[in-house]
Amino acid sequence: MKIIILAGGLGTRLGHYTDVIPKPMIEIGGKPLLLHIMNIYSRFGHNEFYLALGYKSEVIKNFFKNYKEINSNLFTGTEKEKIAFHESKIMDWKINLIDTGINTMTGGRVKRMKEFLGNETFMLTYGDGLSNINIESLIKFHRDHGKMITVSAVRPPARFGELELDGNKVKSFKEKPQLQRGWISGGFFVVEPQFLDFIDDDSTLLEREPLEKATKDGELMAYKHEGFWQCMDTKRDLELLQKLWNAGAPWNVSQ
Protein backbone atom coordinates (compact mmCIF):
# COMPACT_ATOMS: atom_id res chain seq x y z
CA MET A 1 0.00 0.00 0.00
CA LYS A 2 1.34 3.44 -0.93
CA ILE A 3 2.12 5.95 1.80
CA ILE A 4 1.91 9.73 1.44
CA ILE A 5 3.93 11.76 3.93
CA LEU A 6 3.22 15.49 4.08
CA ALA A 7 6.71 16.97 4.25
CA GLY A 8 6.34 20.44 2.77
CA GLY A 9 5.26 22.76 5.58
CA LEU A 10 7.20 25.72 6.95
CA GLY A 11 7.49 24.55 10.58
CA THR A 12 7.58 28.14 11.80
CA ARG A 13 7.08 27.30 15.48
CA LEU A 14 10.46 25.58 15.61
CA GLY A 15 12.26 28.88 15.10
CA HIS A 16 15.83 28.76 13.85
CA TYR A 17 15.76 24.97 13.41
CA THR A 18 13.78 25.35 10.19
CA ASP A 19 15.69 28.34 8.82
CA VAL A 20 17.89 26.06 6.76
CA ILE A 21 16.10 22.68 6.70
CA PRO A 22 12.45 21.57 6.60
CA LYS A 23 10.94 20.24 9.81
CA PRO A 24 10.95 16.54 8.80
CA MET A 25 14.74 16.74 8.41
CA ILE A 26 15.41 17.79 12.01
CA GLU A 27 17.35 14.98 13.63
CA ILE A 28 16.28 12.77 16.49
CA GLY A 29 19.00 10.40 17.65
CA GLY A 30 21.23 11.38 14.74
CA LYS A 31 18.78 10.78 11.90
CA PRO A 32 15.96 12.86 10.41
CA LEU A 33 12.49 12.66 11.87
CA LEU A 34 11.33 11.68 8.39
CA LEU A 35 13.28 8.42 8.53
CA HIS A 36 11.79 7.57 11.92
CA ILE A 37 8.32 8.00 10.42
CA MET A 38 9.15 5.87 7.38
CA ASN A 39 10.48 3.15 9.66
CA ILE A 40 7.11 2.96 11.43
CA TYR A 41 5.58 1.78 8.16
CA SER A 42 8.56 -0.26 7.03
CA ARG A 43 8.42 -2.47 10.12
CA PHE A 44 5.10 -3.73 8.77
CA GLY A 45 6.38 -4.27 5.24
CA HIS A 46 5.04 -1.06 3.70
CA ASN A 47 7.90 0.53 1.79
CA GLU A 48 6.45 2.59 -1.08
CA PHE A 49 6.60 6.25 -0.06
CA TYR A 50 5.40 9.42 -1.75
CA LEU A 51 6.87 12.46 -0.04
CA ALA A 52 4.85 15.63 -0.65
CA LEU A 53 7.55 18.29 -0.69
CA GLY A 54 7.38 22.06 -0.53
CA TYR A 55 9.51 24.23 1.75
CA LYS A 56 13.22 23.58 1.12
CA SER A 57 12.44 20.50 -0.93
CA GLU A 58 16.03 20.42 -2.21
CA VAL A 59 17.24 19.45 1.28
CA ILE A 60 15.15 16.28 1.28
CA LYS A 61 16.03 15.52 -2.34
CA ASN A 62 19.74 15.85 -1.66
CA PHE A 63 19.49 13.73 1.46
CA PHE A 64 18.04 10.75 -0.37
CA LYS A 65 20.29 11.31 -3.38
CA ASN A 66 23.31 10.97 -1.09
CA TYR A 67 21.83 8.45 1.32
CA LYS A 68 23.71 5.46 -0.04
CA GLU A 69 27.06 7.21 0.24
CA ILE A 70 26.27 8.50 3.74
CA ASN A 71 25.18 5.10 5.06
CA SER A 72 27.90 2.90 3.60
CA ASN A 73 31.51 2.15 4.37
CA LEU A 74 33.71 3.61 1.62
CA PHE A 75 36.87 1.96 0.31
CA THR A 76 39.03 3.82 -2.22
CA GLY A 77 42.23 2.96 -4.02
CA THR A 78 44.04 5.02 -6.64
CA GLU A 79 42.36 7.96 -8.30
CA LYS A 80 41.57 5.74 -11.31
CA GLU A 81 39.68 3.25 -9.20
CA LYS A 82 35.99 3.54 -8.49
CA ILE A 83 34.63 4.05 -5.00
CA ALA A 84 33.15 0.82 -3.64
CA PHE A 85 30.25 0.71 -1.19
CA HIS A 86 30.19 -2.04 1.42
CA GLU A 87 27.74 -2.93 4.18
CA SER A 88 25.17 -0.49 2.86
CA LYS A 89 22.29 0.24 5.23
CA ILE A 90 19.93 1.20 2.42
CA MET A 91 16.42 -0.09 3.00
CA ASP A 92 14.44 -1.80 0.28
CA TRP A 93 12.27 1.27 -0.08
CA LYS A 94 10.71 2.92 -3.11
CA ILE A 95 10.86 6.65 -2.42
CA ASN A 96 9.10 9.16 -4.67
CA LEU A 97 9.95 12.82 -4.08
CA ILE A 98 7.14 15.02 -5.40
CA ASP A 99 7.21 18.82 -5.39
CA THR A 100 3.75 20.00 -4.36
CA GLY A 101 4.43 23.74 -4.07
CA ILE A 102 5.82 25.91 -1.32
CA ASN A 103 2.50 27.59 -0.47
CA THR A 104 0.20 24.60 -1.02
CA MET A 105 -1.99 23.63 1.93
CA THR A 106 -2.19 20.10 3.37
CA GLY A 107 -5.26 19.11 1.37
CA GLY A 108 -3.78 20.50 -1.80
CA ARG A 109 -0.62 18.46 -1.32
CA VAL A 110 -2.67 15.27 -1.04
CA LYS A 111 -4.72 16.23 -4.12
CA ARG A 112 -1.55 16.67 -6.15
CA MET A 113 -0.68 13.02 -5.47
CA LYS A 114 -3.76 11.76 -7.31
CA GLU A 115 -1.92 10.85 -10.50
CA PHE A 116 0.45 8.58 -8.58
CA LEU A 117 -2.18 6.75 -6.52
CA GLY A 118 -4.46 5.25 -9.13
CA ASN A 119 -7.67 3.75 -7.79
CA GLU A 120 -6.06 2.26 -4.70
CA THR A 121 -6.46 2.59 -0.97
CA PHE A 122 -3.51 4.51 0.44
CA MET A 123 -2.05 5.63 3.75
CA LEU A 124 -1.34 9.21 4.74
CA THR A 125 0.42 10.92 7.60
CA TYR A 126 2.17 14.12 8.58
CA GLY A 127 5.93 14.63 8.57
CA ASP A 128 6.13 15.52 12.26
CA GLY A 129 4.47 12.77 14.32
CA LEU A 130 5.85 9.59 15.87
CA SER A 131 3.88 6.69 17.30
CA ASN A 132 4.09 3.01 18.15
CA ILE A 133 0.83 2.47 16.27
CA ASN A 134 0.28 -1.00 14.81
CA ILE A 135 -0.07 -0.33 11.09
CA GLU A 136 -1.53 -3.73 10.28
CA SER A 137 -4.23 -3.34 12.94
CA LEU A 138 -4.99 0.11 11.55
CA ILE A 139 -5.42 -1.27 8.02
CA LYS A 140 -7.57 -4.17 9.23
CA PHE A 141 -9.82 -1.77 11.14
CA HIS A 142 -10.22 0.33 7.99
CA ARG A 143 -11.08 -2.63 5.80
CA ASP A 144 -13.54 -4.02 8.33
CA HIS A 145 -15.66 -0.86 8.65
CA GLY A 146 -15.78 -0.18 4.90
CA LYS A 147 -15.95 3.61 5.14
CA MET A 148 -13.97 6.14 3.10
CA ILE A 149 -11.34 7.22 5.60
CA THR A 150 -9.84 6.20 8.94
CA VAL A 151 -7.97 8.58 11.23
CA SER A 152 -5.98 7.47 14.24
CA ALA A 153 -7.38 8.91 17.46
CA VAL A 154 -4.79 9.48 20.18
CA ARG A 155 -4.62 10.96 23.65
CA PRO A 156 -2.16 13.83 23.27
CA PRO A 157 -0.16 16.17 25.45
CA ALA A 158 -1.58 19.17 23.57
CA ARG A 159 -4.59 20.38 21.53
CA PHE A 160 -4.84 19.57 17.85
CA GLY A 161 -7.74 18.39 15.71
CA GLU A 162 -10.23 17.20 18.33
CA LEU A 163 -12.43 14.20 17.58
CA GLU A 164 -15.86 13.61 19.12
CA LEU A 165 -16.58 9.89 18.91
CA ASP A 166 -19.65 7.68 19.05
CA GLY A 167 -18.03 4.29 19.50
CA ASN A 168 -15.57 4.24 16.60
CA LYS A 169 -17.57 6.64 14.43
CA VAL A 170 -16.40 10.24 14.20
CA LYS A 171 -19.26 12.60 15.08
CA SER A 172 -17.31 15.86 14.97
CA PHE A 173 -13.90 16.93 13.67
CA LYS A 174 -12.66 20.34 14.89
CA GLU A 175 -9.23 21.83 14.34
CA LYS A 176 -7.50 23.10 17.50
CA PRO A 177 -10.57 23.64 19.69
CA GLN A 178 -10.50 25.67 22.89
CA LEU A 179 -11.64 22.70 24.97
CA GLN A 180 -10.14 19.23 24.75
CA ARG A 181 -12.33 16.23 25.49
CA GLY A 182 -9.77 13.44 25.40
CA TRP A 183 -9.17 12.35 21.78
CA ILE A 184 -7.42 14.16 18.97
CA SER A 185 -6.28 13.38 15.44
CA GLY A 186 -2.87 11.73 15.42
CA GLY A 187 -2.52 11.50 11.65
CA PHE A 188 -1.82 7.96 10.38
CA PHE A 189 -4.81 7.85 8.03
CA VAL A 190 -6.01 5.09 5.74
CA VAL A 191 -7.87 6.56 2.78
CA GLU A 192 -9.97 5.46 -0.15
CA PRO A 193 -9.21 7.32 -3.41
CA GLN A 194 -12.73 8.79 -3.61
CA PHE A 195 -11.80 11.07 -0.73
CA LEU A 196 -9.63 13.11 -3.10
CA ASP A 197 -12.84 14.42 -4.69
CA PHE A 198 -13.53 16.25 -1.42
CA ILE A 199 -10.41 18.39 -1.94
CA ASP A 200 -10.84 21.43 -4.17
CA ASP A 201 -7.38 22.82 -4.89
CA ASP A 202 -4.02 23.93 -3.46
CA SER A 203 -5.71 26.28 -1.01
CA THR A 204 -7.66 23.49 0.73
CA LEU A 205 -6.70 22.47 4.25
CA LEU A 206 -7.10 18.74 4.77
CA GLU A 207 -8.25 19.39 8.34
CA ARG A 208 -11.09 21.70 7.32
CA GLU A 209 -13.61 21.11 4.54
CA PRO A 210 -12.50 17.62 3.33
CA LEU A 211 -12.51 15.93 6.74
CA GLU A 212 -15.53 17.90 7.90
CA LYS A 213 -17.47 16.76 4.83
CA ALA A 214 -16.38 13.15 5.35
CA THR A 215 -17.59 13.42 8.94
CA LYS A 216 -20.95 14.87 7.88
CA ASP A 217 -21.39 12.05 5.37
CA GLY A 218 -20.60 9.41 8.01
CA GLU A 219 -17.45 8.34 6.14
CA LEU A 220 -14.80 9.13 8.76
CA MET A 221 -13.96 6.50 11.36
CA ALA A 222 -11.48 6.60 14.23
CA TYR A 223 -8.94 3.95 15.11
CA LYS A 224 -8.30 4.43 18.82
CA HIS A 225 -4.63 4.20 19.65
CA GLU A 226 -3.94 4.17 23.38
CA GLY A 227 -0.17 3.79 23.02
CA PHE A 228 2.63 6.25 22.40
CA TRP A 229 2.15 9.30 20.18
CA GLN A 230 4.06 12.56 20.08
CA CYS A 231 4.36 15.28 17.47
CA MET A 232 7.26 17.65 16.97
CA ASP A 233 5.63 21.04 16.76
CA THR A 234 7.86 23.14 19.02
CA LYS A 235 11.39 23.22 20.41
CA ARG A 236 10.05 21.71 23.60
CA ASP A 237 8.64 18.76 21.61
CA LEU A 238 12.01 18.29 19.93
CA GLU A 239 13.79 18.18 23.28
CA LEU A 240 11.25 15.67 24.60
CA LEU A 241 11.66 13.38 21.59
CA GLN A 242 15.42 13.48 21.98
CA LYS A 243 15.09 12.45 25.63
CA LEU A 244 12.71 9.67 24.63
CA TRP A 245 15.19 8.49 22.01
CA ASN A 246 17.90 8.32 24.61
CA ALA A 247 15.55 6.34 26.85
CA GLY A 248 14.75 3.75 24.20
CA ALA A 249 12.57 5.39 21.53
CA PRO A 250 9.06 4.15 22.42
CA TRP A 251 7.91 4.63 18.80
CA ASN A 252 10.15 1.72 17.76
CA VAL A 253 7.98 -0.78 19.64
CA SER A 254 4.63 -1.29 17.93
CA GLN A 255 1.47 -1.74 19.98
Side-chain angles (χ1 to χ4, degrees), residues 51-174:
L51 308 185
L53 308 182
Y55 177 68
K56 296 193 178 296
S57 62
E58 70 281 359
V59 175
I60 297 177
K61 290 178 182 178
N62 288 333
F63 173 81
F64 284 108
K65 180 181 178 181
N66 299 317
Y67 191 63
K68 183 173 183 178
E69 289 87 341
I70 293 171
N71 289 275
S72 303
N73 293 323
L74 305 183
F75 295 87
T76 62
T78 67
E79 61 180 338
K80 292 183 179 180
E81 292 177 338
K82 294 181 179 180
I83 295 174
F85 297 94
H86 297 273
E87 300 179 14
S88 174
K89 299 177 183 177
I90 296 298
M91 306 292 184
D92 185 20
W93 293 353
K94 182 177 180 181
I95 303 170
N96 303 273
L97 307 174
I98 313 298
D99 275 313
T100 56
I102 293 178
N103 298 314
T104 306
M105 297 293 102
T106 48
R109 295 192 193 283
V110 177
K111 183 81 167 185
R112 287 198 182 202
M113 294 295 186
K114 185 174 183 178
E115 64 179 292
F116 305 104
L117 297 171
N119 193 34
E120 302 174 15
T121 306
F122 62 93
M123 289 185 280
L124 165 68
T125 197
Y126 301 100
D128 63 359
L130 294 174
S131 177
N132 64 346
I133 188 169
N134 187 305
I135 297 297
E136 285 309 308
S137 294
L138 172 67
I139 293 171
K140 182 180 185 302
F141 174 83
H142 177 79
R143 288 174 173 162
D144 286 348
H145 66 61
K147 299 294 185 179
M148 188 180 294
I149 183 167
T150 295
V151 58
S152 59
V154 298
R155 298 191 183 276
R159 299 186 186 97
F160 293 89
E162 184 180 77
L163 304 175
E164 180 181 347
L165 305 182
D166 179 10
N168 289 321
K169 186 174 183 179
V170 178
K171 301 293 289 183
S172 173
F173 187 108
K174 296 180 181 179

Side-chain angles (χ1 to χ4, degrees), residues 27-41 43-44 129-135 188 225 227-232 237-255:
E27 292 188 352
I28 303 293
K31 66 181 180 180
L33 176 64
L34 182 58
L35 283 189
H36 291 280
I37 296 169
M38 295 167 78
N39 270 315
I40 293 170
Y41 291 98
R43 284 200 299 276
F44 293 90
L130 294 174
S131 177
N132 64 346
I133 188 169
N134 187 305
I135 297 297
F188 296 97
H225 175 63
F228 174 81
W229 178 89
Q230 176 64 48
C231 73
M232 190 182 70
D237 295 332
L238 171 58
E239 292 170 349
L240 172 60
L241 286 171
Q242 188 61 59
K243 289 179 181 178
L244 290 171
W245 168 265
N246 294 336
W251 57 88
N252 284 338
V253 181
S254 299
Q255 186 176 75

Side-chain angles (χ1 to χ4, degrees), residues 11 13-14 23 128 160 176 231-235 237-238:
R13 282 188 280 183
L14 278 158
K23 180 161 65 167
D128 63 359
F160 293 89
K176 297 183 180 179
C231 73
M232 190 182 70
D233 204 34
T234 65
K235 180 176 180 289
D237 295 332
L238 171 58

